[in-house]
């Protein structure tokens, strides 16, 4: 079977299409023929060495496909079932083994590729809006990269919970997209003074929650956008990681709260994984959640997909289709 491997860390060109033996599922695993694998920023961090992996290694964590074999101890998954997952390293492949309890069944009326597209970014948006902070009608939030993969879904989920959404993005096309998804205001965050703009949009108060996925370039502005005792959610680093922060800064900016959450800790149990994925699938089935696919790439063009996501110009999900 064909799979993407890396022998060394570096730019997109270290991604190599190789021929490997079909993996054997361990007792607690299933073997899946991959319909689509999601491309995520974390894959680029693992490829570049920012998040170190033992080499050589496969790449890609997320996907969906059809089970072709089950391990001896697996009782609740069967051959022929379509499942999706977010944490199986080596998902950029024609076939991959996944721990059975880390899979979720994909409803028959959802295209497996779209299921793959919603798993990692969608469940991230779900925990950000429902668990890191339970958004409600009285809340105003600032969402960075609102037209991005997580951002688009977060805007929709925040609106469903009744919050007012100030959406940061960079181009008129992306602004149109986030307005269509329900954003109340658009902030061209690369062009304006963001704290000043947010103050003027909130009657001088500041927002209740900032969802910042951009990181290095925006973090300090984000702190200035919050109301006293507001919540700073730094969940990504698309412009680079934020350096060390003196906790005294939280006092200086108004007794703020801050968190640096990670999806893994919000889908740690099978129950929580099933709850979040199920909630997203239900919304998709009801036509209440739009999942945008920016591009579909053959496995052999994984390097182009990585270059595209790193360029910052994409709007929605990138998928590899083996
Ligand atoms: P996006 O689709 O949002 O793509 C990144 C976006 O960030 C771009 O489209 C661009 O939007 C903006 N951006 C700003 N500066 C840069 C830059 N220097 N390079 C590239 N993009 C830039 O990606 P995702 O939604 O998949 O992920 C966003 C971040 O969230 C990543 O850092 C990712 O690792 C993280 N993440 C964290 C998770 C967690 O649980 N903590 C889970 C999932 C993702 P614009 O044009 O609007 O500026």
């Amino acid at each position: 079977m064909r799979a993407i491997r890396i022998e060394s860390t570096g730019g997109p060109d270290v991604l190599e299409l190789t021929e490997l033996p079909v993996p054997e599922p361990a007792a607690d695993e299933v073997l899946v023929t991959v319909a689509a694998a999601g491309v995520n920023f974390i894959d680029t961090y693992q490829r570049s060495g920012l998040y170190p992996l033992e080499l050589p290694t496969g790449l890609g964590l997320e996907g969906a496909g059809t089970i072709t074999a089950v391990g001896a101890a697996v009782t609740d998954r069967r051959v022929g079932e379509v499942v999706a997952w977010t944490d199986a390293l080596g998902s950029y492949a024609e076939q991959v083994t996944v721990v059975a309890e880390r899979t979720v069944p994909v409803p028959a009326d959802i295209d497996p590729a779209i299921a793959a597209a919603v798993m990692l970014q969608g469940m991230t948006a779900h925990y950000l809006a429902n668990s890191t902070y339970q958004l409600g009608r009285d809340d105003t939030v600032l969402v960075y990269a609102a037209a991005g993969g997580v951002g688009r879904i977060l805007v929709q989920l925040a609106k469903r919970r009744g919050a007012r959404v100030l959406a940061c993005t960079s181009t008129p096309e992306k602004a149109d997209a986030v307005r269509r998804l329900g954003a109340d205001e658009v902030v061209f965050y690369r062009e304006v003074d963001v704290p000043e703009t947010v103050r003027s949009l909130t009657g001088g108060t500041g927002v209740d929650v900032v969802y910042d996925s951009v990181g290095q370039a925006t973090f300090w502005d984000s702190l200035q956008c919050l109301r006293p005792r507001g919540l700073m959610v730094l969940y990504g680093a698309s412009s680079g990681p934020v350096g060390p922060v003196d906790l005294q800064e939280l006092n200086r900016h108004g007794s703020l709260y801050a968190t640096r959450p990670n999806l893994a800790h919000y889908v740690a149990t099978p129950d929580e994984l099933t709850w979040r994925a199920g909630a997203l699938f239900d919304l998709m089935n009801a036509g209440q959640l739009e999942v945008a696919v920016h591009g579909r790439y053959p496995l052999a063009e994984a390097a182009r997909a990585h270059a595209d996501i790193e360029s910052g110009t994409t709007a929605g999900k990138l998928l590899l289709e083996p």
Side-chain angles (χ1 to χ4, degrees):
M1 66 123 192
R2 296 178 320 145
I4 296 291
R5 302 277 289 172
I6 59 169
E7 299 276 338
S8 58
T9 55
D13 55 338
V14 300
L15 299 173
E16 279 180 43
L17 188 62
T18 51
E19 192 67 41
L20 295 174
V22 174
E24 281 280 324
D28 63 343
E29 291 179 335
V30 293
L31 176 67
V32 183
T33 295
V34 179
V39 177
N40 290 291
F41 257 93
I42 189 169
D43 310 340
T44 70
Y45 303 149
Q46 291 177 331
R47 186 210 72 220
S48 72
L50 182 65
Y51 292 177
L53 292 177
E54 203 171 305
L55 299 174
T57 180
L59 220 60
L61 295 168
E62 174 187 47
T66 305
I67 296 177
T68 54
V70 297
V74 175
T75 54
D76 56 353
R77 292 287 177 268
R78 54 179 173 71
V79 169
E81 197 174 7
V82 178
V83 291
W85 62 89
T86 62
D87 47 14
L89 185 63
S91 292
Y92 292 180
E94 288 175 331
Q95 294 179 76
V96 67
T97 52
V98 189
V99 173
E101 68 171 24
R102 301 308 299 165
T103 64
V104 292
V106 176
D109 33 17
I110 293 182
D111 173 356
I114 302 300
V118 81
M119 287 295 287
L120 198 148
Q121 292 167 330
M123 291 198 297
T124 299
H126 187 272
Y127 83 69
L128 291 172
N130 293 280
S131 304
T132 301
Y133 184 97
Q134 284 198 350
L135 290 175
R137 310 186 74 77
D138 295 335
D139 295 314
T140 300
V141 299
L142 185 68
V143 177
Y144 277 93
V150 177
R152 276 172 185 253
I153 302 177
L154 182 54
V155 168
Q156 295 176 76
L157 298 184
K159 287 310 299 175
R160 285 192 67 75
R161 293 195 64 93
R164 177 172 179 235
V165 175
L166 315 185
C168 290
T169 194
S170 64
T171 67
E173 296 74 29
K174 289 183 174 185
D176 286 346
V178 295
R179 277 197 197 95
R180 202 171 38 74
L181 295 173
D184 298 280
E185 305 285 347
V186 170
V187 178
F188 288 103
Y189 71 106
R190 300 178 193 228
E191 290 166 24
V192 301
D193 181 322
V194 177
E196 193 180 294
T197 306
V198 166
R199 274 193 295 275
S200 84
L201 290 171
T202 56
T205 313
V207 295
D208 300 279
V209 186
V210 172
Y211 292 110
D212 187 342
S213 61
V214 175
Q216 200 173 76
T218 51
F219 178 80
W220 293 101
D221 271 356
S222 292
L223 291 186
Q224 296 178 55
C225 294
L226 284 157
R227 66 160 168 80
R229 293 160 54 182
L231 175 65
M232 172 70 204
V233 183
L234 175 69
Y235 74 91
S238 52
S239 70
V242 175
V245 177
D246 180 351
L247 287 182
Q248 180 62 16
E249 293 294 334
L250 301 180
N251 169 15
R252 202 166 72 77
H253 288 91
S255 299
L256 302 179
Y257 296 85
T259 181
R260 177 46 176 104
N262 184 324
L263 174 64
H265 303 125
Y266 284 88
V267 289
T269 64
D271 281 353
E272 210 173 15
L273 175 69
T274 307
W275 167 51
R276 294 194 198 283
L280 293 165
F281 292 154
D282 286 350
L283 286 174
M284 287 158 73
N285 265 336
Q288 292 172 347
L289 184 69
E290 184 187 304
V291 178
V293 175
H294 174 85
R296 295 170 185 250
Y297 305 72
L299 206 48
E301 292 183 26
R304 185 164 64 85
H306 271 218
D308 286 352
I309 196 170
E310 287 178 302
S311 74
T313 56
T314 61
K317 188 70 198 180
L318 283 69
L319 292 172
L320 295 182
E321 293 184 314

